[in-house]
Amino acid sequence: MTKVQSTIKGRGAATNPANRFHDKHSEAFDDGWHQDESDKPVTELYLDNSRSIINYNQSPDIPFDRSINPYRGCEHGCMYCFARPTHAYLDCSPGLDFETKIFYKPNAVELLEKELAAKKYRCASIALGINTDSYQPVERKLQITRSILEVLSRCSHPVSIVTKSAMIERDFDLLVPMAEKNLVHIMVSVTTLDADLARAMEPRAAAPHRRLSLIENLSKAGIPVGVLVAPVIPVLNDNEIEKILATVSNAGALTAGYVMIRLPHEVKDLFKEWLDNHVPLKAEHIMNRILDLRGGKEYNADFGQRMRGTGVFAELIEKRFSRAYKKLGFTGMPEFDCSQFVPPGGNKQFSLF
């Protein structure tokens, strides 16, 4: 049977493969019928009745120990997203389901206030929207991210946010006062400056030029802003590293970092399908270089390697990035101030140390 490849306007994934926990799998078949516009998948919203809101981790290669994800799944449809496999735990596909079946937490405020008020809670920066973007399109309607920020603002609790959406400008009324108290950092994800590549790879995220104007607006508003060049994809966007760093530095970014592409579980096949659909002449070259980065594997989850890769090419990327970063004179983000934290309904919490 011939493999069917297609693209769906406004979506990253072209298919909806079964997740790794399913025994049954399906395969697309071209029966000669043209896909009608009405057949395009629409976004569906589902309740996520989680009993906790703050996720804790002990990962040695990420700079935070707690995070909040207001949503599961992400409409941005980024084809490389390492979080896609988490949809399998919801009995959904990491493909189109990840982009179209969005789970949201309607009780986020109640859960957050309860956890921040707990006697054992000790204040440290919360990373907001790490697995999936907290400012994805459904936030415009649901405003769960804003409600979380309102709680953190009232409690003078520090927060870091990673986003590729200009919708964050809506919340400047909260973020500017928090920035004045050293309570917020914003990291804008910039994968490419090529509008055509961005449209194909991140179909519902902000265009590159809009992310640059977002960085400028954050900087002018006095909100500390940095940039993540993420992911770096060999042969596809690694040639842009120096240009991206120079451009975002001029726009007002205080710091920058990068993450090498990660292809866990189902993401491997979804990404290879995307390569065949969008950059077929480069597909084999890209995957061969990824194998070089991962010791001959398509993915290596080991701490210390999953974010950067290993081998000659990984070392070259690190040297190029470090050299450009130093040349441009990034100053770095200001320190968070955790001493101002006041639990919901309580008195100012003093550090034990």
Side-chain angles (χ1 to χ4, degrees):
M1 184 178 295
T2 303
K3 180 180 179 182
V4 176
Q5 294 181 336
S6 62
T7 59
I8 300 175
K9 186 176 180 180
R11 299 294 180 182
T15 57
N16 219 7
N19 69 60
R20 60 193 179 281
F21 302 120
H22 282 179
D23 293 328
K24 296 181 179 180
H25 298 266
S26 61
E27 183 175 348
F29 177 76
D30 185 0
D31 62 1
W33 293 103
H34 176 71
Q35 177 180 287
D36 187 80
E37 290 289 312
S38 61
D39 293 332
K40 291 183 179 180
V42 297
T43 300
E44 302 174 72
L45 299 178
Y46 297 88
L47 292 177
D48 178 354
N49 294 313
S50 298
R51 290 181 287 183
S52 63
I53 192 73
I54 302 177
N55 307 304
Y56 291 90
N57 75 84
Q58 296 179 333
S59 301
D61 54 359
I62 55 178
F64 55 86
D65 69 350
R66 64 199 70 183
S67 62
I68 294 176
N69 292 295
Y71 304 102
R72 297 187 188 186
C74 185
E75 284 187 284
H76 281 162
C78 303
M79 203 53 253
Y80 50 74
C81 184
F82 69 89
R84 283 181 177 270
T86 62
H87 242 44
Y89 296 111
L90 302 172
D91 200 31
C92 295
S93 171
L96 282 170
D97 281 354
F98 180 78
E99 307 171 34
T100 59
K101 295 184 178 181
I102 309 300
F103 292 75
Y104 68 98
K105 302 176 181 180
N107 57 344
V109 167
E110 292 80 4
L111 291 173
L112 181 57
E113 289 179 338
K114 179 180 178 181
E115 292 175 38
L116 294 181
K119 290 184 179 180
K120 65 178 181 179
Y121 183 78
R122 292 295 173 263
C123 180
S125 172
I126 289 176
L128 182 58
I130 297 303
N131 273 355
T132 56
D133 203 311
S134 57
Y135 283 98
Q136 61 178 286
V138 294
E139 166 63 17
R140 186 173 291 107
K141 172 183 177 181
L142 298 178
Q143 299 196 34
I144 295 176
T145 297
R146 181 173 175 85
S147 69
I148 290 172
L149 281 178
E150 288 172 343
V151 174
L152 297 177
S153 177
R154 288 197 303 269
C155 295
S156 295
H157 193 295
V159 62
S160 62
I161 302 171
V162 179
T163 186
K164 56 189 65 173
S165 173
M167 196 193 310
I168 195 173
E169 293 176 350
R170 177 200 66 186
D171 294 335
F172 272 19
D173 60 315
L174 297 172
L175 296 172
V176 170
M178 293 181 76
E180 292 171 350
K181 298 194 292 183
N182 291 327
L183 295 175
V184 63
H185 291 172
I186 308 297
M187 296 294 289
V188 178
S189 175
V190 179
T191 315
T192 178
L193 299 177
D194 183 327
D196 291 333
L197 178 58
R199 186 180 297 111
M201 192 162 52
E202 307 163 332
R204 294 199 174 191
H209 73 273
R210 187 64 181 90
R211 296 186 215 184
L212 294 177
S213 67
L214 169 61
I215 295 167
E216 292 178 350
N217 293 339
L218 286 163
S219 178
K220 290 176 181 177
I223 302 170
V225 56
V227 164
L228 280 177
V229 184
V232 172
I233 305 174
V235 185
L236 191 63
N237 72 342
D238 67 284
N239 63 308
E240 294 188 65
I241 288 175
E242 290 83 0
K243 184 177 180 180
I244 290 174
L245 290 179
T247 304
V248 301
S249 176
N250 289 335
L254 300 178
T255 190
Y258 77 94
V259 178
M260 200 67 72
I261 187 168
R262 301 161 58 186
L263 300 176
H265 301 300
E266 295 90 346
V267 182
K268 298 189 296 292
D269 292 332
L270 286 165
F271 183 69
K272 285 187 282 187
E273 180 181 71
W274 182 89
L275 292 176
D276 289 338
N277 283 337
H278 293 275
V279 287
L281 298 181
K282 293 182 177 180
E284 184 177 1
H285 190 185
I286 291 170
M287 287 309 303
N288 285 338
R289 189 52 62 91
I290 289 175
L291 292 174
D292 293 339
L293 288 168
R294 303 298 181 184
K297 302 177 182 178
E298 291 173 332
Y299 182 55
N300 185 341
D302 292 344
F303 292 135
Q305 298 183 12
R306 60 179 183 159
M307 302 293 190
R308 290 289 189 266
T310 58
V312 174
F313 185 74
E315 293 174 2
L316 176 62
I317 292 294
E318 184 174 6
K319 289 180 180 178
R320 286 175 53 200
F321 193 95
S322 298
R323 182 176 299 174
Y325 185 93
K326 292 177 181 177
K327 180 180 179 181
L328 292 165
F330 288 95
T331 59
M333 296 288 217
E335 293 291 326
F336 283 121
D337 184 357
C338 296
S339 67
Q340 303 174 70
F341 174 59
V342 179
N347 297 319
K348 187 173 182 178
Q349 183 189 81
F350 293 96
S351 171
L352 295 179
F353 304 97

